[in-house]
């Protein structure tokens, strides 16, 4: 249940009204929405240490991120803050690697999120209260009732060590890896026979928020590992670099119907127009990428 609920909790209690509105303002499952802006570039390398200008290529959804010696600093100084950055463009399947150090602090969550307009979502959640494990999670169409959505995975001291958190996301499978080692793989069929598999264009969002905010529900605070004590602020997560490989670069992505299925997404200005349903069958990992490239058709 957690992520959507927490999003809502965070929106209500902690965030300025902007965060999340892009995703909830127009849900393409319910109405006709503007196309998502993509990019025809297939790889992106953001090194926040080498160049502080790199941050200007990202959208700031909330707060005032700054660049320090080790990268972008997303800091909660007081209650109500949840600084978050996001790509200004959407990608439709790809590999996303974020090298970052999570924040310490009871109830403080450092997160890396893929989120689509119809609320498909993929998460890394590093909880400040836990130094040896983190959570992975996903949502299809915002459905918090899907079973076996989230897991705990081992990680070595993420609050004091930079790790490389990678999502490898194809129509067939989604893998969460830490420092190049796969921790969890979700296949298309694992997610309620594909109906709850994340499969629509997403933006990459990176942010920090207080799940332990005293105004949150008791359940949220408990999940977050306890109540946040703001007199121990600042709480800072640091993002060193981000690499993105976009598997289907295109100028725009449009939901052609209200199914939310990956086959319904129409790409303009890319090398293919739509993916075929069989792309979901082609195994996992990078081989799936080649597989689905062969199986796509241009209409
Ligand atoms: C669609 O709109 C109805 C009415 O506004 C709302 O109750 C429902 O939750 C919406 N569904 C989605 C998927 O946004
Ligand atoms: C938290 O609750 C208190 C007391 O109701 C309120 O004054 C404060 O504004 C709330 N904080 C946020 C961030 O909503
Ligand atoms: C992060 O891991 C991915 C997947 O193993 C790898 O391709 C990438 O080069 C790594 N990034 C860095 C900065 O080490
Ligand atoms: C909050 O943190 C401060 C500073 O470390 C400490 O003095 C205080 O006792 C803490 N409050 C609670 C309720 O733990």
């Amino acid at each position: 249940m957690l992520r959507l609920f927490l999003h809502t909790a965070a929106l209500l209690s902690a965030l300025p009204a902007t965060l999340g509105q892009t995703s909830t303002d127009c849900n393409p499952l319910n109405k006709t929405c503007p196309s998502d802006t993509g990019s025809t570039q297939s790889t992106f390398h953001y090194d926040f240490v080498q160049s502080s200008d790199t941050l200007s290529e990202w959208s700031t959804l909330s707060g005032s991120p700054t660049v320090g010696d080790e990268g972008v600093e997303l800091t909660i100084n007081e209650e109500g803050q949840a600084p978050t950055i996001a790509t200004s463009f959407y990608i439709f399947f790809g590999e996303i690697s974020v090298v970052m150090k999570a924040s310490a602090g009871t109830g403080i969550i450092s997160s890396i999120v893929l989120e689509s307009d119809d609320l498909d979502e993929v998460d890394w959640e590093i909880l400040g209260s836990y130094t040896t494990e983190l959570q992975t999670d996903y949502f299809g169409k915002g459905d918090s009732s899907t079973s076996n959505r989230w897991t705990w995975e081992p990680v070595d001291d993420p609050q004091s060590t930079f790790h490389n958190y990678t999502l490898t996301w194809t129509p067939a499978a989604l893998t969460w890896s830490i420092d190049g080692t796969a921790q969890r793989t979700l296949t298309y069929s694992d997610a309620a026979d594909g109906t709850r598999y994340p499969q629509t264009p997403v933006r990459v969002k990176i942010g920090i928020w207080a799940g332990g905010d005293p105004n949150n529900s008791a359940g949220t605070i408990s999940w977050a590992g306890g109540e946040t004590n703001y007199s121990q602020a600042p709480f800072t997560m640091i993002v060193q670099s981000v690499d993105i490989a976009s598997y289907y670069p295109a100028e725009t992505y449009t939901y052609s119907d209200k199914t939310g299925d990956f086959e319904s997404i129409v790409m303009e200005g890319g090398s293919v127009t739509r993916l075929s349903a069989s792309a979901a069958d082609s195994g996992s990992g990078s081989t799936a990428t080649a597989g689905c490239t062969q199986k796509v058709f241009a209409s």
Side-chain angles (χ1 to χ4, degrees), residues 50-199:
Q50 291 304 312
S51 167
S52 55
D53 285 350
T54 303
L55 182 57
S56 66
E57 296 171 44
W58 286 64
S59 301
T60 297
L61 300 188
S62 179
S64 308
T66 55
V67 180
D69 290 347
E70 294 183 310
V72 176
E73 300 182 358
L74 299 165
T75 299
I76 295 177
N77 286 301
E78 57 190 46
E79 181 173 24
Q81 298 181 332
T84 303
I85 59 173
T87 53
S88 55
F89 55 88
Y90 287 69
I91 60 166
F92 187 38
F93 300 109
E95 184 165 277
I96 300 94
S97 292
V98 177
V99 178
M100 70 100 162
K101 189 165 74 177
S103 178
T106 301
I108 298 295
I109 318 297
S110 303
S111 63
I112 303 165
V113 177
L114 309 183
E115 192 165 47
S116 80
D117 293 350
D118 71 351
L119 303 177
D120 283 348
E121 180 172 323
V122 180
D123 300 315
W124 289 103
E125 314 251 32
I126 296 105
L127 289 72
S129 306
Y130 298 86
T131 58
T132 59
E133 53 190 351
L134 55 67
Q135 280 193 8
T136 69
D137 201 354
Y138 77 91
F139 290 85
K141 304 179 176 68
D143 184 358
S144 55
S145 70
T146 315
S147 47
N148 304 319
R149 273 194 0 265
W150 59 276
T151 66
W152 285 107
E153 302 296 337
V155 61
D156 178 29
D157 207 357
Q159 294 84 9
S160 45
T161 309
F162 282 92
H163 288 291
N164 178 2
Y165 300 94
T166 301
L167 295 166
T168 307
W169 177 47
T170 75
L174 170 63
T175 297
W176 288 255
S177 308
I178 302 175
D179 300 326
T181 301
Q183 301 284 334
R184 177 190 186 185
T185 294
L186 177 83
T187 66
Y188 178 85
S189 59
D190 287 341
D193 288 331
T195 59
R196 293 295 179 260
Y197 187 74
Q199 56 189 286

Side-chain angles (χ1 to χ4, degrees), residues 20-36:
Q21 282 203 346
T22 311
S23 28
T24 51
D25 259 5
C26 190
N27 188 327
L29 302 192
N30 245 4
K31 47 186 169 180
T32 303
C33 300
S35 297
D36 291 335

Side-chain angles (χ1 to χ4, degrees), residues 12-14 79-80 213 215:
L12 293 177
S13 70
E79 181 173 24
D213 188 287
N215 286 13

